[in-house]
Amino acid sequence: MPHTPAVAPPAARRGDEHWPLRGLTPEQAQAARHGPGPLLIVAGPGTGKTRTLTHRIAHLLATGRAGSREILAVTFSVRAAGELRLRLIDLLGEPQARGVTTATFHSVCARLLREHAGLFGRTDTYTIYDQADVRRVIEELLADHAQQDIRRAVRTCGQPAVAELERRIGLAKNRLLDPDAYARASRYPAAAVVAAVWCALQAELERCNAWAFDDLLACAAALLREHPERLAHIRTRWRWLLVDEMQDTNHAQAALVDLLAGRDGNLTVVGDDDQAIYGFRSAQRDHARAFAHGHPAHRRIVLGRNFRSRAEILAAATACIAHNPARAEKTLTAERGRGGRITTRAFATDADEATWVTGLVADKLASGTPPGEVLILARAAYATGPIQAALAAAGIPHRVLGSLGLYERAEVRDALPHLALLANPADAQAFRRAAQSPRRGVGSATAGRVILAARAHHRGDLIAASATADTIDGIRSRPTRERLAEFGRSLETVRGHYRTGRSLGHIVVATLTIDGGLVAHHQTRRDRSPAAQQRRDGERVLEDLRSLCRAAHAYAEQVGSGASLTGFLEHAAGLHAQQLAPGEDHRITVSTIHRAKGTEAALVVLLACEEQLLPSWRALESADPEDLAEERRLFYVAATRAKDHLVITRAHVRAGRATAGPSRFLTEAGLATSAARPRAA
């Protein structure tokens, strides 16, 4: 549903507890005014689920059933949390909306673990390791000859790739297993290696006062399960729980929902099994349907009025998804009626496809279609490469969902560990990266010696250990010792500023500008490099670092007196809801289907609708029919992003190789492909 303003000005609502129901459909109003107890909302695409959730929250507040701080609304993605918060502010006004907690699962868990970190051998300044961080720790553990359990398991089973070890550990955590339970239950030939690495990984993370991203869910579930008195307190804090996109939850997330709400708690979940597209992340679409079994006293309401797509588009999508077995039947009605268009086009090459689509987009923009109403999708990111190049060549501004943002750029990723080390001086991974950014002659062996010295003599404080590098045995190079000591003393100075209450913005600027630090290094590249490209790169990196400083200032202004380094690092890690503003982006959007969940546009172009790409070759070769069913749901989700015009393209040759012909989903959707012969643009 598009962003809509509040239904009535606040002054007109005083004394009227029914205002949140105005303008809703009968089904939406039933869901909004539901009282205590479990509620399941089955919401097809474009049926106004976010509107229903926000008005339900407003009705709870207007009737006095809930105070704003007693409501927790959990979403699947950071973007969805930001959208929900924006709607609440628009509907309720800033003060009341701010009292409602709107967050992702991981953000809620991070908050709970900050409050109870001591139960897990951490402090509230813990660091969160992303996938790359965890893989680096695993690499170090595999290379560590002191890890006898790992070496013994590798001799017996062989050594899987680091990425495979990290993936299997993450999946097991999402199933709420521990290493012993995994080793007993798994049929993976190298399960013993996974279990041994996992045990060593847990120990190292605790020494670093850190958690892996996947640990947030598993440890929060353990907290609630093993400490009933704390669970009771949290249930009292959040008496009303609303969960969006229930079909995309994994086992750990579903367990958290059950723990937080209880069997007959005030739980509202929204889901649609036809839009379950995250099976590769261990999401289990039957969670939405299992809700009925876990909450027998629940009420079920179906939102069946689609306000987004024209009838022709909705009919094609529905015809395709109907081929999936074991789905919950639902009837969707296109409230906007007929008048939509579906265009299918075939091309000789993906370059021809990109040229034609770019021309189509240019014509649409010239005729008055707003850029925000154009969405280009593909099953795989590589399939969007030619269209990105063609749009750039045509001078059409566009954004790529999932492309590198500020916090994902390499040089900013070098800067963030400096801040992480200030917040959590026991963080060995942050130290390794910070001490080598820029390079100070600190290799892996030297970093390892500093870490051992910190744990032996400085209670794990790596800043203090660095400052005394001259006393650490085994560091033979005098320049390395001097640079390490300078690094440690500089961070000690900044840490002193932080402890005395200097602003977050000041701390970030002071950290980046330490002697021999990142800013000094890239200023030298900009000013003294003999090659023009190196000078340009230096200035580009400096601008990224300036952007990081501006982001810290903006975060501090937004949060106010509660701004902290740990909070800013969580923000940079993508844990917290984005602050969205309507109408601020004037670019068309290019995205994978997975990334585009929750978006909509007047014109949607679905590229590369070809067999072995959509559906993927993996799904076609899989013995599990659910894999093909999920690919069909991907097509359904892509098609139902379109309001007025859906364009579906395919190519005879893509990335220099012949394709396998049109996707079966075109036939299933009733879209003829025989007349669409490959053509040049």
Side-chain angles (χ1 to χ4, degrees), residues 16-319:
D16 180 7
E17 66 181 37
H18 300 296
W19 71 262
L21 305 180
R22 293 175 187 162
L24 302 182
T25 69
E27 299 82 10
Q28 290 172 340
Q30 287 175 22
R33 66 170 174 258
H34 175 76
L39 169 66
L40 171 62
I41 302 174
V42 180
T47 56
K49 66 181 178 65
T50 304
R51 179 180 176 84
T52 303
L53 283 176
T54 54
H55 282 253
R56 172 154 175 71
I57 292 171
H59 193 259
L60 289 172
L61 297 173
T63 57
R65 285 196 176 107
S68 59
R69 298 192 180 280
E70 296 177 313
I71 300 174
L72 170 61
V74 184
T75 67
F76 183 72
S77 69
V78 173
R79 185 183 184 280
E83 173 68 14
L84 183 60
R85 179 173 292 176
L86 176 67
R87 300 280 191 98
L88 285 172
I89 291 172
D90 197 48
L91 189 64
L92 302 171
E94 181 101 10
Q96 196 169 35
R98 288 294 178 192
V100 177
T101 302
T102 56
T104 63
F105 278 100
H106 287 89
S107 180
V108 171
C109 292
R111 175 174 174 173
L112 293 176
L113 293 176
R114 292 268 177 223
E115 297 172 2
H116 301 92
L119 296 173
F120 299 90
R122 272 80 166 177
T123 73
D124 61 2
T125 61
Y126 68 76
T127 310
I128 299 170
Y129 281 10
D130 63 15
Q131 188 179 64
D133 292 326
V134 173
R135 289 181 179 179
R136 281 192 289 270
V137 176
I138 292 174
E139 287 176 352
E140 291 157 10
L141 292 172
L142 290 171
D144 186 353
H145 290 275
Q147 299 292 335
Q148 295 299 324
D149 289 346
I150 295 177
R151 296 176 67 79
R152 190 160 41 247
V154 167
R155 283 196 299 269
T156 303
C157 307
Q159 182 175 310
V162 169
E164 179 66 8
L165 288 168
E166 183 274 329
R167 186 183 75 85
R168 289 188 176 273
I169 292 171
L171 291 174
K173 288 178 182 177
N174 287 332
R175 291 167 56 200
L176 297 183
L177 298 175
D178 60 27
D180 290 340
Y182 170 81
R184 290 193 302 269
S186 177
R187 297 181 180 179
Y188 181 52
V193 180
V194 175
V197 169
W198 187 354
C199 287
L201 175 64
Q202 286 181 311
E204 177 62 14
L205 289 177
E206 184 172 344
R207 286 191 290 267
C208 292
N209 190 30
W211 265 302
F213 198 71
D214 293 323
D215 286 329
L216 298 179
L217 298 175
C219 292
L223 168 70
L224 300 180
R225 188 174 56 245
E226 297 170 9
H227 298 274
E229 74 288 351
R230 297 173 190 269
L231 173 59
H233 171 73
I234 291 166
R235 284 180 177 175
T236 302
R237 178 199 298 179
W238 290 317
R239 295 177 50 246
W240 299 83
L241 175 62
L242 300 93
V243 182
D244 194 11
E245 304 283 14
M246 189 66 182
Q247 76 280 350
D248 289 328
T249 56
N250 60 33
H251 179 79
Q253 290 164 330
L256 283 165
V257 170
D258 288 340
L259 286 163
L260 287 169
R263 183 176 177 86
D264 297 313
N266 302 322
L267 171 63
T268 298
V269 301
V270 181
D272 177 16
D273 60 341
D274 286 337
Q275 298 185 75
I277 59 173
Y278 291 99
F280 67 97
R281 292 183 183 172
S282 302
Q284 300 178 16
R285 71 186 182 97
D286 61 349
H287 280 148
R289 291 186 293 171
F291 182 87
H293 301 290
H295 304 274
H298 81 286
R299 183 178 184 186
R300 182 177 185 269
I301 296 174
V302 179
L303 306 183
R305 302 188 186 193
N306 180 295
F307 297 92
R308 178 189 299 155
S309 303
R310 293 285 187 178
E312 296 86 348
I313 296 169
L314 188 60
T318 302

